[in-house]
Structures are given as structure tokens and as C-alpha cells.
Amino acid sequence: MTDKPNFLPERLALLADLNAAQYLTDGLLAGKEDVPAIALNKTTEPLPYDNESRAELDPVRALVEDAMYKFREDRPTAADGWLAPRLHATLRLSRREAADRRIWNYLALGVAPDYVVWRHLVAKSEGAPPKVAARRFRGPGDTQALARLWWAAELFRNGPDYGPVVTMCANQDMLNTALRVDVMDHRPTAQATVRLLERGTVRTGREVNALVAAVNASAATLMYDVVAPDAERDGRPLREWIEAAESAPAVPRRDLPIGPYEEKTPERSVDVLVDHFAELFAEAPVRGRTDADDETDDEV
């Protein structure tokens, strides 16, 4: 399996899609070759950050190493709920910064290629050698190995509380499906879907997919932000949280970190949508709904 990069600079960087593509060799995707780190770092661009702490590479590298060690005896999917909030709290990115694929390209290829292989190496068909999909290294935010965790934490945290992120990431179907629909950008919608997971209203992969599809379809006719308004968003807490990276300690490994001190999602709005979504789900077509052995499939 791919080893830890043999050369790590002090700072994170940006790696353009075109430059990243040349390192996605069959050997790397099969976990048999390492990334030529020195050559890769010659093709990067510096981060445009004034805050030096946010550009430090070591905290991110230490985090992925701890994740791989902590979950070394479990299925790699189990690491998602642990790593997502801590990655988010370590990087302290704005959404605009996180939308730049170049930072995720660099994190996957320049900082943690061994993590990407460990987490996403899978046999695609019987008899075929295991392989990582290239999009896990260089892909959209809902699919790329590290970007998907950051966006899960960003969309499903409840203000400073990362607890809902852990719940969401524990269900691979929710993690794989919910990030692909724009409606989850509405915080009461995201929190209501998590509540249905917590209550056991939806459990299996088929049920989760049916719920997300029904919620997304209903958004075309029912304006969720009208029937379940969110608190007015104030950008100051996020800016202050990002600026505080300079003096922030390393994220805790045992307890959850604390996110930006933004106002939490209004409980009344969440309750309204929980009831509405439960009704939608009751009418949604779920293949094999009555099958007692319909277990959630952990996709990688």
C-alpha cells in the first residue's frame, strides 16, 4: 500500500487539476506506487493566506495518521465520522476557499495519498485487483476523499456543534447521497434529516436514498426556507473563528472540536421539517421496505 509521502514541506499548497492528473498512475490507484513528492511540490502554487497557522501542513498530516491508526482494526468507513469534524476544525476554511479544488488535490496527493488509498481501495469486480477511483484524489466536493468530509461537516454541523456530523457520517448512504443535493444547504433541512436518522425513522441504505429523493423532490414545490426559516446568518463568527486559528490548539482527539460560534438552527423550524419529512418518507417508494434483513450497505 502507498506509504507516507517521503518528502513533506512545512506548508500546504494548491495543486491544479492538470498537474494533479499526471500523478494519478495505475500504480498509485492500485496502492502499489508512491507519489513523487519532490516533483509534485515543484508544480504547486502557494496558498493565499495571511494566517500562517492555517497553512501549516503538520496538523493535517498528524490528523490523518491518527485516523488510520485509531481505526486500523475497523472498516475504513468507520473513520469518516471521526475525521470529518476534526478536518473541518483543523483547516478552518471559508466556503469560497473550500470550493477551490486545488487545495483538495494537494491534500490528497501531496499530504495524504496513503490515507486515500487506505480509505477507498476497493475491488470493483470479482477477480479484479483492488483500485482507488481517480475521483477520490481529484474529483468534485461530494466525492473527493477529503473534500467530502469537509463539506459534510460544513453542511451538517449545527453552529459550533459537530454532533450531527458524526450521526450523518455514520450512515454511508446519507454521506454519499445528501452531499449531492443542493437542498441540504438549508440548515433546518439538513438537521431534520439527521433527526430522522437519530430516531431510527430511516435506517437502511434504501430508506435513506428514498428519504433524500423525496425531500429533494418536495423542495421543487414547497419552499423550505419559508415554512422553516433559518436564523439570519452572520458572517462575523466564522471570520473570527478563522482568524483565531493563529492561537488555536490542536483539535482534540477524544472530544469533538468546537466549530464557529454561529447561532444554531431554530428548533421550531427543524421540528416542522421533521414532521413533514416523516410524512414524505411514509409515502415514498422503498424497494424491499418490509424486508427485515435490509441492511445499510457501506459504500466506499
Side-chain angles (χ1 to χ4, degrees), residues 139-152:
D142 59 12
T143 305
Q144 202 267 2
L146 294 161
R148 67 197 282 268
L149 299 181
W150 189 94
W151 282 106

Side-chain angles (χ1 to χ4, degrees), residues 97-114:
E97 291 166 338
D100 188 342
R101 285 171 48 139
R102 295 177 298 170
I103 190 170
W104 303 113
N105 291 342
Y106 184 73
L107 285 168
L109 286 162
V111 180
D114 52 338

